[in-house]
Every structure is written in structure tokens, then in C-alpha cells.
Amino acid sequence: TATFFGHAARLGGRTGGTGPAGLEALEEYGTALGFAYQILDDLLDAAGLEDQVGKTLGEDLANGRRTLPLLRLVEIEGPRGPTARTRP
């Protein structure tokens, strides 16, 4: 997603006649925007409400996709979750 947004922003700049420095800036901006969009989408998929989000939720987890929120949770809680820390 981030790469797609970056390339789209760069292409828009090329179409508009932007110079090399501007193209780099546009690609960097588009990439950052794409990362932010993907993180928000991942968070909504994990914790959103279907009637508000407008799509079926939980599909990333059901399909085994490693999303940033899931990777962060494993980093914090460990691969077996919070109960693994409390067992003797």
C-alpha cells in the first residue's frame, strides 16, 4: 500500500511537470501516507465495528496476514499471549 501511494504521488508530480527534487518529496509523502493508511486499516480490521467501517472485519487475522498491530502485540505479550507470562 505504501509503495503504491508513493508511486501514485510521484506519477502525479511527473504528469504536472515537477522537477526531480519535487518528485522525490512527493514519493516520500505518498509512501508515508500509504503507511498511515495501512496502519489505520489494520487497526480498524482488528478493533473496528463493521457497521461503521463498512467492510467485513477480522479477515486479516482469519487469513493469517501479519499486520503491524498483530506483530506489535506479539512483541509486547510474547508469541503465546499474556497467559504465558503468568504461568509458573
Side-chain angles (χ1 to χ4, degrees), residues 54-72:
K55 67 176 190 172
T56 304
L57 301 180
E59 290 189 0
D60 288 341
L61 186 59
N63 291 320
R65 289 188 191 105
R66 292 184 227 162
T67 64
L68 185 59
L70 179 62
L71 293 172
R72 184 70 175 126

Side-chain angles (χ1 to χ4, degrees), residues 27-40:
E27 186 170 358
E28 188 176 316
Y29 171 78
T31 299
L33 183 64
F35 273 118
Y37 173 86
Q38 190 61 57
I39 291 168
L40 178 60

Side-chain angles (χ1 to χ4, degrees), residues 1 3 12 21 44-45 47 59-60 67 71 86:
T1 302
T3 301
L44 289 173
D45 189 64
E59 290 189 0
D60 288 341
T67 64
L71 293 172
T86 58

Side-chain angles (χ1 to χ4, degrees), residues 67-83:
T67 64
L68 185 59
L70 179 62
L71 293 172
R72 184 70 175 126
L73 179 65
V74 169
E75 181 180 300
I76 293 168
E77 297 293 343
R80 293 177 33 202
T83 57

